[in-house]
Amino acid sequence: MTKKTRAFLKWAGGKFALVEEIARRLPDADRLVEPFVGAGSVFINTDYPSYLLSDINPDLINLYQTLKHDADHYIRESRKMFVPEWNDKEAYYKARQRFNDTNDQFERAVLFLYMNRHGYNGLCRYNKKGGFNVPFGSYKRPYFPQKEMEFFAEKAQRATFLCADYHTTFAQVQTGDAVYCDPPYLPLSSTASFTSYASGGFNMEAQHTLAECAREAAFKGASVLISNHDTQDARKIYHQADRQEFLMVKRTISQKGNGRKKVNEIFAGYGASR
């Protein structure tokens, strides 16, 4: 990998800093499958003939589908919102309300990018009624990621996007596939907040089930790599993996610059390796 490409979305837990380590552990294959595609850093920084990319967030997958099939129109319309009059608290909340009220998929895709770049810290959060509720971010000049979107749109011609959970995605894994899983991470310690982590529906049971899916896929002839925080729980969950590797990763854990520290990361590998 000569030069890394950044994702066009801000995304909590994005893998831009880790893509070299991930790519180094993924085998050659005709297809890479990602059940937790997120912002797509692994997708855009690897070179497989084809991809199956899924996520449970329908707005994220709708954006990717729109960019794949209607890139020029989408980029042109999105750019209109990256002007000073839209970088305003009142305008942001009006746009957020529009997003929550509309069922028009193109409009939702445009507004999703706008809110991702203008909302607080690039968060993606919904209330119990399904309404997007991230507050205004108050950034001086939000970046319009045109080059990154053009790159994504071109590469997306090799990809199939699927709005589905990991069970459904693993059901489509075939012999010879390479699979990379980036699930919601385990808490770093027993004192870390588990409530917000589990409220998204990915609890400890889901972590164990994902590991079982990985084992079953490897038995069928696929190769699976899972990343997570290196905790005692993670080592127990992945104790039947064919490989466990560990490294230190610098991660931002707060808004302040001194909130960067190194944390332990685990890679669990199932099936053939590179």
Side-chain angles (χ1 to χ4, degrees), residues 10-271:
K10 296 181 180 181
W11 207 254
K15 287 295 175 287
F16 180 76
L18 265 180
V19 289
E20 295 103 333
E21 296 289 349
I22 294 166
R24 190 162 60 83
R25 290 167 170 82
L26 289 171
D28 294 332
D30 289 334
R31 184 172 72 160
L32 177 66
V33 180
E34 290 193 64
F36 307 88
V37 65
S41 287
V42 174
F43 160 57
I44 58 179
N45 287 288
T46 53
D47 189 22
Y48 287 87
S50 66
Y51 295 83
L52 174 61
L53 308 173
S54 77
D55 200 279
I56 60 169
N57 186 324
D59 291 312
L60 179 68
I61 297 301
N62 174 57
L63 190 163
Y64 291 163
Q65 295 275 30
T66 303
L67 192 54
K68 175 182 178 178
H69 296 293
D70 199 8
D72 291 343
H73 182 207
Y74 176 75
I75 291 171
R76 185 169 60 251
E77 293 303 311
S78 296
R79 176 181 283 283
K80 294 176 182 179
M81 300 195 75
F82 284 72
V83 293
E85 53 263 40
W86 281 105
N87 189 24
D88 170 82
K89 188 174 183 179
E90 183 178 353
Y92 174 85
Y93 287 118
K94 286 182 179 179
R96 193 180 75 175
Q97 189 61 51
R98 274 174 53 200
F99 176 83
N100 289 330
D101 289 342
T102 187
N103 291 317
D104 183 286
Q105 296 305 296
F106 187 87
E107 184 178 24
R108 287 184 71 87
V110 170
L111 292 168
F112 190 78
L113 174 65
Y114 163 78
M115 293 186 301
N116 175 264
R117 285 284 170 177
H118 291 77
Y120 179 75
N121 212 24
L123 294 175
C124 182
R125 189 183 66 195
Y126 301 81
N127 60 30
K128 291 182 180 179
K129 293 182 179 180
F132 192 89
N133 65 355
V134 175
F136 183 57
S138 298
Y139 298 109
K140 186 174 181 180
R141 189 179 180 183
Y143 174 66
F144 182 65
Q146 179 166 342
K147 290 183 179 179
E148 293 85 347
M149 285 192 289
E150 289 172 344
F151 182 87
F152 188 101
E154 181 178 353
K155 192 163 187 182
Q157 305 310 310
R158 292 191 233 167
T160 298
F161 296 100
L162 179 67
C163 183
D165 61 22
Y166 67 94
H167 290 280
T168 304
T169 307
F170 264 99
Q172 298 193 32
V173 171
Q174 302 170 0
T175 300
D177 281 344
V179 184
Y180 171 61
C181 296
D182 178 29
Y185 273 22
L186 289 157
L188 278 170
S189 69
S190 58
T191 58
S193 172
F194 195 80
T195 303
S196 59
Y197 160 79
S199 64
F202 211 90
N203 55 19
M204 193 66 73
E205 181 181 357
Q207 297 279 0
H208 282 277
T209 304
L210 175 62
E212 185 60 30
C213 286
R215 287 183 62 214
E216 292 175 0
F219 182 75
K220 295 176 183 178
S223 175
V224 184
L225 179 68
I226 305 176
S227 59
N228 214 317
H229 282 142
D230 178 20
T231 65
Q232 288 185 346
D233 284 332
R235 295 193 183 203
K236 290 177 183 177
I237 290 168
Y238 306 131
H239 76 282
Q240 291 184 306
D242 297 304
R243 299 169 301 284
Q244 288 190 10
E245 297 181 74
F246 313 94
L247 69 157
M248 299 292 286
V249 180
K250 183 177 286 188
R251 179 167 297 130
T252 303
I253 60 170
S254 75
Q255 289 282 95
K256 300 178 180 178
N258 61 8
R260 289 183 179 271
K261 71 174 186 179
K262 289 198 172 182
V263 297
N264 292 322
E265 192 98 1
I266 184 172
F267 286 113
Y270 299 79

